[in-house]
């Protein structure tokens, strides 16, 4: 299956869709500067060791939590300030989510990549606002969307003249409180743009735990290896020093102390996948 050849330029020397995989990683949400810099410092070191380009990730607002009583944010201004400090201290690009069109321009002043949440991947005004910033746009495939239909989300962004766009896989909704990854979706979407695999949210169990979401992190290595073997362009992994104490998505997070080994495993699977990505039986 032929893949699209338009890469996503993140920053000079960091390109999604090249011969080097890109890692988007950090805590689920901006909890504090101390947590973010601890995670970013260690992940940057491991990413370099195992041959990944690194983009620090943290959400400035978790606008789609199951319950209104769940943690959302320490505040937009404070969160963006933390992200900016982390980016400067580590000299790495940044990615965060936007949920409303009006947020795009302000957030784009701080980060290098604007992420469109899965629930919002069909929101035309949001996609256009993100595209109009000129920053790279990372669109998560909605749990309800067919892979081939994600080409239209890509087209919306590119209609602004912004070619720097990618797609992210995070599982299909199967019944209630369950997600399943169809690996066929990765090469299908890769026909339209570079593809990132969201390891963290593919093992999420949305809702169903008394107003919070659960997760099965024990399956993260299995899905990660399977996705890597398809030869995709990058990976999204959320991590935390103490997942049980994380303010968001704790059950899905990879413990920080395991990230070095996790990335080593992932790179081996990705290298093998790239070796055979053009193999077919047609």
């Amino acid at each position: 299956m032929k893949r699209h050849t338009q890469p996503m330029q993140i920053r000079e020397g960091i390109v999604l869709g090249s011969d080097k995989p890109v890692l988007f990683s950090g805590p689920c949400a901006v909890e504090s500067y101390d947590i973010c810099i601890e995670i970013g410092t260690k992940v940057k070191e491991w990413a370099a060791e195992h041959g990944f380009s690194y983009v620090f990730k943290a959400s400035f607002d978790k606008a789609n939590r199951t319950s209104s009583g769940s943690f959302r944010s320490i505040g937009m201004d404070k969160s963006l300030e933390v992200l900016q400090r982390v980016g400067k201290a580590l000299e790495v690009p940044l990615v965060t989510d936007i949920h409303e069109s009006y947020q795009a321009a302000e957030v784009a002043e701080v980060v290098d990549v604007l992420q469109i949440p899965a629930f919002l991947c069909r929101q035309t005004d949001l996609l256009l606002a993100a595209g109009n910033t000129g920053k790279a746009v990372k669109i998560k495939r909605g749990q309800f969307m067919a892979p081939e239909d994600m080409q239209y989300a890509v087209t919306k962004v590119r209609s602004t003249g912004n070619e720097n766009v990618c797609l992210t896989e995070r599982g299909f909704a199967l019944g209630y409180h369950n997600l399943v990854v169809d690996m066929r979706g990765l090469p299908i979407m890769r026909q339209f743009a570079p593809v990132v695999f969201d390891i963290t949210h593919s093992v999420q169990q949305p809702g169903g735990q008394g107003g919070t979401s659960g997760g099965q992190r024990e399956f993260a290595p299995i899905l990660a290896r399977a996705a890597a073997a398809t030869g995709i362009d990058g990976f999204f992994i959320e991590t935390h020093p103490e997942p049980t104490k994380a303010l968001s998505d704790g059950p899905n997070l990879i413990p920080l102390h395991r990230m070095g080994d996790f990335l080593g495993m992932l790179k081996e699977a990705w290298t093998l996948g790239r070796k055979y990505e053009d193999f077919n039986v047609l």
Side-chain angles (χ1 to χ4, degrees), residues 73-282:
S73 173
I74 60 173
M76 182 173 181
D77 291 343
K78 190 173 181 180
S79 293
L80 291 178
E81 180 184 353
V82 168
L83 286 171
Q84 191 169 46
R85 288 176 64 194
V86 171
K88 287 183 177 179
L90 298 180
E91 298 182 318
V92 297
L94 303 167
V95 59
T96 196
D97 311 82
I98 57 172
H99 300 85
E100 304 281 353
S101 300
Y102 75 84
Q103 296 172 340
E106 181 177 356
V107 176
E109 293 180 3
V110 175
V111 306
D112 304 84
V113 183
L114 298 173
Q115 181 166 274
I116 307 299
F119 290 123
L120 303 177
C121 69
R122 288 173 57 112
Q123 297 299 103
T124 300
D125 289 344
L126 183 62
L127 291 165
L128 295 179
N132 280 322
T133 67
K135 293 297 181 76
V137 181
K138 180 176 179 291
I139 311 170
K140 288 195 173 186
R141 186 192 60 75
Q143 300 91 325
F144 46 86
M145 291 286 290
E148 58 269 24
D149 290 341
M150 290 305 296
Q151 64 182 296
Y152 305 112
V154 171
T155 300
K156 288 176 182 180
V157 173
R158 288 186 174 146
S159 73
T160 68
N162 186 345
E163 294 289 330
N164 286 319
V165 58
C166 73
L167 294 170
T168 299
E169 172 59 40
R170 50 97 16 103
F172 292 83
L174 181 66
Y176 301 117
H177 310 145
N178 194 39
L179 296 171
V180 172
V181 178
D182 180 356
M183 293 297 167
R184 295 174 299 179
L186 300 175
I188 290 173
M189 291 195 297
R190 215 161 165 237
Q191 295 175 98
F192 318 125
V195 168
V196 174
F197 182 61
D198 181 346
I199 296 167
T200 301
H201 294 96
S202 293
V203 298
Q204 186 185 59
Q205 294 177 308
Q209 291 199 344
T212 62
S213 292
Q216 297 176 302
R217 76 165 63 92
E218 64 269 26
F219 292 114
I222 297 168
L223 292 181
R225 291 195 300 269
T230 69
I232 54 171
D233 306 287
F235 303 90
F236 179 101
I237 312 173
E238 291 178 343
T239 181
H240 196 279
E242 298 182 87
T244 59
K245 295 182 180 179
L247 299 181
S248 179
D249 270 353
N252 315 320
L253 306 183
I254 303 301
L256 182 60
H257 73 277
R258 297 294 291 143
M259 277 291 288
D261 291 338
F262 196 102
L263 293 179
M265 173 200 69
L266 194 58
K267 183 61 182 301
E268 286 189 32
W270 181 85
T271 300
L272 185 63
R274 275 297 175 97
K275 180 179 179 180
Y276 292 106
E277 68 173 324
D278 294 324
F279 180 84
N280 68 75
V281 294
L282 300 178

Side-chain angles (χ1 to χ4, degrees), residues 24-41:
F24 301 85
S25 184
C28 181
V30 176
E31 299 181 10
S32 68
Y33 175 76
D34 289 344
I35 288 289
C36 287
I37 197 67
E38 177 186 356
I39 293 171
T41 299

